[in-house]
Amino acid sequence: MDTTIFETTESQVRSYCRSWPTVFTSASGSILTDEQGKEYIDFFSGAGALNYGHNNPELRAELLNYFSSDALVHSLDMMTPAKREFLTTFKEVILDPRGLGYKVMFPGPTGTNTVETALKLARKVTGRQHILSFTNAFHGMTLGSLSVTGNSMKRQGAGMPLTNSSKIPYDNYLDGETADFLWLERVLEDSGSGVDKPAAIIVETVQGEGGLNAARAEWLRGLRELTQRHDILLIVDDVQAGCGRTGTFFSFEEAGIVPDIVCVSKSISGYGLPMALTLFSHELDVWAPGEHNGTFRGNNPAFVTATAALRRYWADDSFQSGHLAKVIDTVQDALTKIAIEVEGTTVKGRGLLTGLYFRDPAVAGKVAAAGFEKGLLMETSGPQDEVLKLMPALTMDLVVLERGLNTLADCIAEVTG
Ligand code: PMP
């Protein structure tokens, strides 16, 4: 590896160059190519922002068409045809068929913006300040989203007290099989517990950064029932697990729950362009005009690719029950086989937000590094980076996928053998 390419840039940036020391020049589908012409299979997908692969040709065609016109690129909160088209398509293709009556808000460009918006809205609606979130949760890097993040190292980065939130155990944190929330109910009802009634509970159905912990459907249903009984808002952070990554458009569909507020970002634009949504029940729309605004909420190129992605992949269920189901089965079969063969490994996560836990935390990082050498891009997850994380594109070509999974098995054999 020619490390001289970083002589200037290494001191200037903080980036993934630390784990992937090369310069990527092009990308198509799930293959990236670097300056040396080496190809890499992408099991990272822009941290979940590229669910339909890089430079998806159909989405690109729509984008180029838009750019070649004089249509608005940036439009703050103004209405444009691109925005209107996205809103009507989202309603028609995603919300209506699922019986979801959400109002859609554009909270700003990124995941942390939608989480901040959700927390602020929940506090305004209820007049309460306390928020409950979960051990190992990850919700973003700005102060509000960091306050509900369950990762001590990341929280220390705030450099100031993060208040008005408490962490409670996520599903299976206590290795128990119970899905009832009796303990929480008691604590909430007990005026001597000192636990203030929360405005909301925020949850990921699969903890993407926190080690690919997947909540069971009955646990999520228990949480929904508890929050309803106690008049507490339920926020699902679907920034990473949403947009099809777990096999359905929203990750909470499998559990059959309807959250009060949903946070969406990462792959909603379909093309890796910054975009986020906050979805909430109509009766929660208590904002006064201008009370929660921002500059980059009208990213029209992102509306264009988002609309194209919804129409191409979600207008009927043929993609979900066809190619997406095949990609999920292929990945899950390969991981299950590895977990049976390699002692001390367990399959984690759900759908294509998945990976392998290694009893020896050092192994996951070593496998990711071996993968890079062999042309495979993978991240690690979990408090000790003990989980190897796989997030292939939902649209990944099955031949490329098999090749990547075979390389993964080789890397694991090399590191553990
Ligand atoms: N919520 C979840 C569940 C996430 O995984 C992330 C990002 N990894 C965020 C929020 C924050 O998103 P962003 O990095 O776009 O601010």
Side-chain angles (χ1 to χ4, degrees):
M1 172 63 57
D2 177 14
T3 50
T4 55
I5 49 174
F6 296 115
E7 266 168 19
T8 14
T9 52
E10 268 248 296
S11 57
Q12 286 178 331
V13 294
R14 284 212 156 272
S15 72
Y16 282 109
C17 290
R18 284 179 292 172
S19 48
W20 295 336
T22 192
V23 177
F24 296 102
T25 49
S26 62
S28 173
S30 290
I31 305 282
L32 281 86
T33 308
D34 74 6
E35 259 177 355
Q36 279 71 41
K38 181 175 166 185
E39 290 190 349
Y40 299 82
I41 294 177
D42 190 4
F43 276 179
F44 172 61
S45 300
L50 291 160
N51 278 4
Y52 314 108
H54 295 261
N55 290 310
N56 182 299
E58 288 165 66
L59 307 192
R60 173 158 61 187
E62 296 286 340
L63 192 60
L64 292 177
N65 189 30
Y66 194 77
F67 275 134
S68 68
S69 75
D70 278 336
L72 276 77
V73 170
H74 171 64
S75 61
L76 295 112
D77 272 338
M78 289 183 271
M79 186 55 83
T80 62
K83 183 175 184 173
R84 186 174 55 203
E85 182 68 12
F86 170 75
L87 286 167
T88 49
T89 306
F90 191 68
K91 183 167 162 17
E92 181 190 311
V93 171
I94 301 296
L95 296 180
D96 288 352
R98 290 164 180 78
L100 299 170
Y102 292 129
K103 195 148 184 169
V104 179
M105 178 168 175
F106 300 103
T110 73
T112 201
N113 296 131
T114 173
V115 172
E116 294 286 346
T117 303
L119 300 178
K120 204 165 147 183
L121 183 65
R123 286 181 170 129
K124 182 163 165 84
V125 167
T126 60
R128 294 174 227 136
Q129 294 187 345
H130 190 209
I131 308 274
L132 291 181
S133 61
F134 291 94
T135 49
N136 291 308
F138 184 86
H139 296 291
M141 284 281 112
T142 51
L143 291 178
S145 60
L146 197 53
S147 74
V148 288
T149 288
N151 177 307
S152 304
M153 187 271 273
K154 293 198 191 319
R155 291 169 65 80
Q156 273 157 20
M160 60 183 286
L162 296 168
T163 55
N164 288 332
S165 93
S166 310
K167 308 295 157 295
I168 54 175
Y170 192 70
D171 193 17
N172 279 322
Y173 183 82
L174 303 169
D175 297 324
E177 287 300 315
T178 171
D180 77 49
F181 286 86
L182 210 57
W183 59 275
L184 183 53
E185 221 148 3
R186 291 253 168 92
V187 164
L188 290 174
E189 283 162 5
D190 173 12
S191 59
S193 71
V195 177
D196 295 334
K197 181 169 176 172
I201 301 185
I202 182 166
V203 67
E204 298 158 272
T205 63
V206 181
Q207 296 186 315
E209 306 299 321
L212 298 173
N213 309 309
R216 288 164 301 149
E218 64 264 39
W219 185 87
L220 289 167
R221 285 193 287 270
L223 189 62
R224 177 66 285 197
E225 282 158 22
L226 166 101
T227 47
Q228 254 155 359
R229 261 197 314 275
H230 286 261
D231 189 27
I232 296 165
L233 296 172
L234 180 66
I235 305 171
V236 168
D237 179 349
D238 234 6
V239 166
Q240 189 158 166
C243 300
R245 189 137 285 283
T246 63
T248 51
F249 187 82
F250 293 114
S251 71
F252 52 81
E253 286 175 47
E254 193 201 54
I257 59 165
V258 178
D260 300 296
I261 306 179
V262 184
C263 300
V264 179
S265 184
K266 291 209 192 261
S267 270
I268 186 64
S269 83
Y271 205 72
L273 300 172
M275 179 170 169
L277 308 177
T278 314
L279 312 176
F280 46 85
S281 329
H282 283 249
E283 65 272 20
L284 300 186
D285 188 10
V286 296
W287 299 117
E291 191 175 16
H292 186 66
N293 59 12
T295 307
F296 286 105
R297 291 165 172 214
N299 184 350
N300 287 274
F303 297 149
V304 168
T305 52
T307 303
L310 295 181
R311 291 216 177 282
R312 167 70 182 81
Y313 297 107
W314 299 97
D316 59 46
D317 65 7
S318 58
F319 170 69
Q320 185 179 323
S321 59
H323 189 80
L324 176 55
K326 266 192 223 137
V327 176
I328 292 177
D329 285 349
T330 309
V331 171
Q332 291 299 330
D333 287 351
L335 293 184
T336 305
K337 188 162 173 275
I338 293 171
I340 291 167
E341 284 166 6
V342 183
E343 218 210 306
T345 55
T346 321
V347 181
K348 303 268 330 238
R350 195 153 64 82
L352 297 179
L353 183 49
T354 189
L356 287 169
Y357 161 85
F358 292 92
R359 197 164 51 211
D360 174 358
V363 173
K366 284 184 192 158
V367 174
F372 176 75
E373 290 306 319
K374 291 189 197 303
L376 195 57
L377 299 179
M378 295 172 290
E379 259 201 315
T380 55
S381 164
Q384 294 178 277
D385 283 321
E386 71 281 19
V387 178
L388 186 74
K389 186 175 179 188
L390 302 193
M391 294 182 88
L394 281 49
T395 52
M396 196 160 181
D397 179 89
L398 292 171
V399 175
V400 177
L401 178 64
E402 292 278 7
R403 208 164 70 225
L405 291 168
N406 289 337
T407 307
L408 169 64
D410 291 347
C411 294
I412 294 176
E414 187 181 296
V415 172
T416 59

